[in-house]
Amino acid sequence: MSKRKKRQKIKIIIATIFALIVVVVGALANFIAPHDPNATNAMLMRKAPSAEYLFGTDNMGRCVLSRVLDGARITLASTFLLVAISFLVGIIIGMLCGYYGGIVDTILMRIADLMLAFPQMVVAIAVAGILGGGIFGAMIALGITMWTGFARLARSHTLSIKNEPYITAAKLNGKNGMQIIFGHIFPNIVENVLVNALTQIGTTMIGLAGLSFLGLGVTAPQAEWGSMISEGRAYLQLAPWVVIFPAIAIIITIIIFNYLGDVVMEYRRMD
Amino acid sequence: MSETVLEIKDLSVRYEDCDVEDLQVMDVSFEMKKGEILCIVGESGSGKSTLIKAIHGMDRTRVVNGTIEAFGKDMSGLSKKDRRTLMGTDIGLIPQNPYSSFNPIRRYEVQFKEALSAQKMEYDKEKILSVFEKIGLHDGERILKCRPYELSGGMNQRIAIAVAFLFEPDLLMCDEPTSALDVTTAGMVVDELVKMKEEQNTAILMVTHHLGIAARMADHIGIMKNGRMIEYGPAKQILKNPQEEYSRKLMEDVPRLKR
Amino acid sequence: MNVKKQILKKIIELIILLVVLSFLTFMLMYLAPGDPVEKKLSAQGTAISQEVLEAERERLGLNRPVLVRYAEWFAGVLHGDFGVSMTDEMPVGPRLAAGLSNTMVLALSSLIVALIVSIPLGILSAVKQNSILDHIVKLLSFIGNALPNFLISVLMMYLFCIVFRVFPVVANNSFNGLFLPAISLAIPMAGRFTRQIRAEIISQLDSDYVTGLRTRGVKEKDVLLRNVFHNASPHIFTIIALQIGTLMGGSVIIENIFRWPGIGRLVMEAINGRDYTTISGFVLIMGTIYVVINFLSDLLQQSMDPRSIS
């Protein structure tokens, strides 16, 4: 058994290293980028990849490599921010519902049920559309339904530990509800919910890129992988590299984070 | 008659997903003849259930060393399909937790038909009902219309035993067959098993942690500890005069069912 | 008797859920920022004075209380009348219906393709666990699951239209064939289905009853088809029902790429034109279909696996 676990641990470490590389590249995008991602140049329209422009240039003569890097920054930042906010909102609501129960719990969980009754991407498209685009609009659109999953998970974990002796002991020591929730429940359930959040990163990225592709995410001229692919497909025949490179970037990133989520889940199932 | 039914030689077994050195059964050897009851006694984790699974070649067991020969055929040399055809009428099994040995959401009637047709046997309702009666299942008609999840553990366990009786195998392996039964019903089952041996000359390999059951039916007893068969011999000899310290302790710990 | 009562209770819950859904959809339209009337008038080039705006609002009935407007809208929806478009004042209902039927064609064909691929692959790779075939299937389904469908469609256009020249490249990058859009939708879905079906079959194969069947000598074909697949199928229906939502979202994107005249293309036009009537009609229709499909899959699961009634 232990050998399999060790092997799994190595897989996790490798996936984490790759994920960290992607994150560092995204964070340092502005320093690594060889050109200004938004600088246009009419002389350099749709140039094929060369030593100067490794990934070529797009319809407006912008450096595709710099735009892919800048897109990494935006994609990663918005994905992480969205997952983090949904995670925090979800876990807090879930803990409150699970710990206090009663009418508030009933109402909030009903709302969560309602949110789950809508297909997520349909709501996201409608809401992002009504909010008129922009990356924050897209994040709100996806976030509306996203917190519910975390809330349900946090609630069920809270319910399963709330009668444990250490919680009762804390109560007897005169700790109030908030102290117990954040001092005792949170540290005990956070790992479970965090792993779930990890598995949501890939799907969230796909969702945000999809909205950007439809023109409901980032606004021009900001680079983002989804919108780059959307722009580039109009002249796909003339300059396929404008689409291919952001496509490779998005596939690799999603594969890395999905793989990380998978191996961590599998590792935890081995216990 | 003293025809050999099962011959196990230097058998070592591990589970597929475990490490190579982590053996569940080590160097076990024994032989069974027709009309013989062998009880293997041991605590949980002693490897006694694994032994039965290995003989069946099931549940991801891997034979690391040694041979299993049933009816003169080397079991590990058989293809999956050939091994499957041995199951049922040649080698029967009453598994551990027999109440989960049926598909929980299909009616017993269809499951009996399926199993009987796999053995090329007729679906004979009267015969099924009479086997049911023998082990205290009186409402047979209703039971056949039920799905396993609707019945109690003890009921399901007895139905699994009934199937084994119906197949009339030459070698019957039982893995804790009375775990969910009360003492009276357990006694009925043990009596039926003994009767089966006497009437049909069935060889019965019984695995149990309950020395009382072994004392009541065994011709031979084997005692297993940490994967090894530490003691093996005629039942009377083992019960009267155990050689090993561990066996002696086992005798003292278990209250004996008197004949 | 008890079962009937439960079903009745579920139907009542379903109706309440649908009413709440319609209310939320209406509020989405009501709370939307930006003034559709202003947008419409400015688009027509009319001079927009405050009075003109006010008169137009009054004429469209936008100044009455929310609940009255909701009740009126809802009553209309029940008769298939989703209101008139805010851009051209044509009734939205028939357009939505026409778009929906095209979307159905696309969605159903991609669903069928995905299932034809993933059910056998899922079962096969579960049965032959840890074999080379299993590893290949696992890898492919993992990659399929990681591919956004807009990416697949753009890459397929590149491959089939430009590299292999199987399909003609039309000037605006559009063609009306069902093939590429359906495949684009089907690939990520097949990836997810295969993974989930494989997991479900494996968990069934690990159940004690399978060992029981095998020790009774039941043929492997019967073990797999009449027992394992039989027991797994209600769960597989649930897996499919839960994917319908993703399919709907994906189809909006795909329809816009391939200019497929479905409801998704309609809604993107509506979003660009701030036509809230069409947007809310879209959300309501998609939400209702999703809720009803999941309700039916629940019922189906209970009729196939009576244990789940409780």
Side-chain angles (χ1 to χ4, degrees):
Chain A
M1 268 315 193
S2 61
K3 236 184 206 169
R4 286 178 68 222
K5 270 194 103 166
K6 258 184 217 154
R7 217 180 302 147
Q8 196 68 17
K9 216 171 193 170
I10 294 171
K11 283 185 192 167
I12 294 178
I13 292 169
I14 293 173
T16 311
I17 291 172
F18 275 104
L20 282 177
I21 293 174
V22 171
V23 170
V24 169
V25 167
L28 300 178
N30 293 343
F31 301 99
I32 306 173
H35 299 273
D36 177 349
N38 297 326
T40 58
N41 187 342
M43 304 296 292
L44 288 169
M45 271 164 51
R46 300 191 293 270
K47 288 281 179 250
S50 61
E52 169 74 359
Y53 293 94
L54 279 178
F55 288 4
T57 61
D58 70 3
N59 211 19
M60 294 159 111
R62 293 175 295 195
C63 169
V64 173
L65 173 59
S66 305
R67 288 183 71 72
V68 167
L69 288 170
D70 200 41
R73 189 176 60 92
I74 286 294
T75 304
L76 292 171
S78 52
T79 304
F80 286 142
L81 194 62
L82 173 54
V83 173
I85 292 174
S86 308
F87 166 79
L88 279 179
V89 171
I91 198 171
I92 289 172
I93 289 180
M95 287 190 302
L96 290 174
C97 286
Y99 186 76
Y100 288 111
I103 184 83
V104 179
D105 176 35
T106 315
I107 292 172
L108 282 171
M109 282 303 126
R110 281 282 136 162
I111 292 176
D113 283 346
L114 259 175
M115 292 299 176
L116 288 176
F118 283 104
Q120 187 189 19
M121 203 56 191
V122 167
V123 179
I125 289 169
V127 171
I130 282 173
L131 292 177
I135 190 69
F136 286 103
M139 284 166 68
I140 292 172
L142 283 168
I144 287 180
T145 42
M146 214 172 134
W147 64 274
T148 53
F150 296 125
R152 284 170 150 270
L153 193 62
R155 178 175 177 274
S156 75
H157 282 298
T158 307
L159 283 178
S160 69
I161 64 165
K162 88 180 209 191
N163 291 322
E164 293 278 318
Y166 60 89
I167 304 280
T168 322
K171 264 188 219 162
L172 290 175
N173 282 339
K175 296 224 169 126
N176 67 30
M178 286 298 148
Q179 284 167 326
I180 290 175
I181 286 178
F182 289 101
H184 297 273
I185 294 179
F186 182 79
N188 277 295
I189 70 166
V190 67
E191 195 190 324
N192 284 308
V193 190
L194 213 51
V195 169
N196 187 266
L198 189 63
T199 62
Q200 298 291 319
I201 289 176
T203 351
T204 310
M205 239 172 234
I206 294 181
L208 280 171
L211 289 178
S212 291
F213 183 88
L214 285 175
L216 301 173
V218 296
T219 34
Q222 173 63 55
E224 198 274 348
W225 296 335
S227 57
M228 285 174 79
I229 294 169
S230 177
E231 281 169 39
R233 78 189 157 101
Y235 45 94
L236 185 62
Q237 199 169 1
L238 299 170
W241 52 87
V242 179
V243 166
I244 300 295
F245 289 110
I248 291 172
I250 199 166
I251 293 174
I252 288 178
T253 312
I254 290 169
I255 281 183
I256 287 174
F257 281 101
N258 276 358
Y259 185 72
L260 181 61
D262 275 11
V263 286
V264 170
M265 286 290 265
E266 204 169 311
Y267 180 77
R268 290 168 57 83
R269 232 178 279 136
M270 283 180 178
D271 288 324
Chain B
M1 287 272 260
S2 66
E3 204 178 311
T4 302
V5 180
L6 181 69
E7 193 178 354
I8 307 256
K9 255 189 206 150
D10 306 324
L11 184 70
S12 294
V13 181
R14 68 175 174 95
Y15 280 112
E16 231 168 46
D17 46 3
C18 288
D19 288 344
V20 185
E21 57 268 30
D22 199 3
L23 295 177
Q24 305 292 311
V25 173
M26 277 176 278
D27 293 329
V28 169
S29 303
F30 62 86
E31 207 183 290
M32 283 183 73
K33 301 204 183 308
K34 264 198 172 172
E36 172 189 332
I37 297 183
L38 166 63
C39 284
I40 293 182
V41 186
E43 292 167 335
S44 54
S46 61
K48 57 190 195 312
S49 291
T50 313
L51 181 64
I52 283 199
K53 283 174 188 162
I55 295 172
H56 272 90
M58 284 193 175
D59 275 343
R60 311 215 165 98
T61 49
R62 273 277 163 82
V63 172
V64 180
N65 191 25
T67 53
I68 303 168
E69 253 180 44
F71 311 107
K73 288 177 196 154
D74 180 10
M75 290 293 277
S76 19
L78 291 181
S79 73
K80 244 185 179 174
K81 209 179 151 202
D82 287 340
R83 201 184 297 150
R84 184 72 54 89
T85 48
L86 278 181
M87 299 301 152
T89 42
D90 294 320
I91 304 179
L93 176 73
I94 305 174
Q96 203 170 18
N97 300 333
Y99 43 91
S100 54
S101 83
F102 292 93
N103 186 335
I105 56 173
R106 296 180 76 211
R107 290 180 202 285
Y108 269 120
E109 203 169 5
V110 278
Q111 301 205 50
F112 268 76
K113 279 179 183 160
E114 193 174 76
L116 287 166
S117 90
Q119 301 299 339
K120 305 204 165 52
M121 288 169 77
E122 291 276 309
Y123 177 77
D124 181 350
K125 204 186 211 168
E126 293 312 313
K127 196 175 163 199
I128 294 172
L129 295 184
S130 76
V131 172
F132 276 1
E133 283 294 336
K134 276 194 221 166
I135 47 175
L137 291 168
H138 301 299
D139 205 359
E141 290 271 3
R142 189 184 65 86
I143 289 172
L144 284 175
K145 293 242 169 343
C146 283
R147 298 175 176 91
Y149 84 94
E150 295 165 320
L151 302 175
S152 70
M155 291 269 249
N156 283 305
Q157 189 156 40
R158 274 181 282 172
I159 296 168
I161 295 168
V163 173
F165 285 163
L166 216 55
F167 283 168
E168 299 178 351
D170 298 318
L171 170 63
L172 177 62
M173 293 194 262
C174 316
D175 191 354
E176 306 275 11
T178 56
S179 57
L181 303 182
D182 61 79
V183 185
T184 328
T185 325
M188 270 170 97
V189 168
V190 169
D191 288 345
E192 282 304 321
L193 285 171
V194 173
K195 214 155 111 198
M196 191 174 177
K197 166 199 130 173
E198 279 160 6
E199 285 171 3
Q200 294 160 28
N201 217 11
T202 313
I204 298 177
L205 173 60
M206 170 97 146
V207 150
T208 179
H209 66 277
H210 199 309
L211 201 60
I213 288 180
R216 185 156 157 180
M217 61 192 285
D219 299 315
H220 283 85
I221 291 181
I223 290 176
M224 280 189 77
K225 189 193 176 194
N226 296 335
R228 288 183 190 280
M229 183 90 89
I230 56 167
E231 192 149 8
Y232 173 84
K236 274 182 195 146
Q237 184 193 317
I238 300 265
L239 289 168
K240 237 189 226 159
N241 188 17
Q243 298 296 306
E244 297 281 328
E245 175 68 16
Y246 178 77
S247 318
R248 265 197 291 280
K249 257 195 82 201
L250 218 58
M251 307 289 158
E252 286 159 16
D253 285 353
V254 184
R256 208 174 291 179
L257 284 179
K258 289 268 159 58
R259 274 230 185 211
Chain C
M1 187 60 204
N2 200 12
V3 177
K4 266 186 191 158
K5 243 186 198 169
Q6 283 213 334
I7 292 176
L8 195 70
K9 196 180 148 225
K10 287 212 151 194
I11 291 178
I12 292 170
E13 275 176 10
L14 176 74
I15 292 169
I16 294 173
L17 180 64
L18 287 176
V19 172
V20 177
L21 195 121
S22 74
F23 183 71
L24 287 179
T25 310
F26 182 80
M27 290 313 283
L28 187 75
M29 163 164 71
Y30 177 75
L31 294 171
D35 189 339
V37 176
E38 197 180 323
K39 168 117 183 168
K40 187 182 106 184
L41 290 181
S42 57
Q44 287 167 354
T46 322
I48 338 166
S49 66
Q50 209 51 43
E51 292 93 79
V52 177
L53 269 180
E54 204 47 45
E56 185 67 10
R57 283 207 190 98
E58 193 62 47
R59 191 177 72 78
L60 292 171
L62 295 180
N63 284 340
R64 288 168 305 147
V66 198
L67 283 178
V68 175
R69 281 174 56 197
Y70 166 68
E72 209 177 88
W73 177 75
F74 186 63
V77 166
L78 290 181
H79 295 96
D81 174 10
F82 286 78
V84 294
S85 159
M86 289 184 181
T87 34
D88 58 10
E89 290 189 40
M90 296 291 285
V92 169
R95 277 190 211 164
L96 287 170
L100 183 65
S101 72
N102 286 329
T103 299
M104 290 280 225
V105 171
L106 176 61
L108 281 180
S109 22
S110 64
L111 187 65
I112 290 169
V113 171
L115 289 175
I116 287 177
V117 173
S118 56
I119 290 180
L121 282 187
I123 294 177
L124 216 62
S125 102
V127 171
K128 309 241 178 243
Q129 223 191 124
N130 294 326
S131 67
I132 297 173
L133 178 93
D134 181 33
H135 288 300
I136 294 173
V137 170
K138 261 162 74 181
L139 182 70
L140 287 181
S141 58
F142 176 79
I143 293 174
N145 182 38
L147 295 175
N149 44 32
F150 66 85
L151 196 65
I152 296 175
S153 46
V154 173
L155 292 181
M156 293 229 299
M157 272 186 166
Y158 179 68
L159 280 180
F160 286 105
C161 308
I162 297 172
V163 180
F164 299 137
R165 299 175 189 274
V166 182
F167 293 93
V169 192
V170 188
N172 55 5
N173 260 341
S174 81
F175 33 85
N176 290 325
L178 188 57
F179 181 75
L180 287 188
I183 297 292
S184 305
L185 274 174
I187 287 176
M189 197 157 45
R192 280 188 287 272
F193 282 157
T194 308
R195 279 160 74 87
Q196 288 169 315
I197 290 172
R198 176 181 176 274
E200 175 59 33
I201 299 282
I202 285 177
S203 90
Q204 291 287 343
L205 282 173
D206 281 345
S207 310
D208 290 342
Y209 76 82
V210 172
T211 314
L213 290 168
R214 287 179 180 159
T215 58
R216 287 194 289 279
V218 175
K219 290 188 201 74
E220 195 61 19
K221 192 187 82 204
D222 286 342
V223 173
L224 281 179
L225 295 180
R226 294 173 68 177
N227 291 281
V228 167
F229 193 66
H230 172 272
N231 287 22
S233 49
H235 301 275
I236 294 176
F237 278 116
T238 311
I239 290 168
I240 297 170
L242 286 173
Q243 279 299 315
I244 300 291
T246 320
L247 177 59
M248 289 170 169
S251 124
V252 174
I253 297 175
I254 296 300
E255 285 173 16
N256 279 284
I257 296 175
F258 292 97
R259 317 242 161 149
W260 185 261
I263 200 168
R265 212 174 133 205
L266 205 62
V267 79
M268 282 313 292
E269 279 163 16
I271 284 173
N272 292 328
R274 307 241 131 241
D275 175 7
Y276 297 141
T277 330
T278 304
I279 301 177
S280 57
F282 163 79
V283 175
L284 187 61
I285 289 175
M286 290 313 209
T288 306
I289 293 174
Y290 183 67
V291 170
V292 170
I293 285 178
N294 278 290
F295 169 78
L296 291 178
S297 102
D298 260 19
L299 279 193
L300 199 69
Q301 166 147 28
Q302 291 187 353
S303 70
M304 292 176 79
D305 184 351
R307 278 176 305 179
S308 55
I309 301 177
S310 58

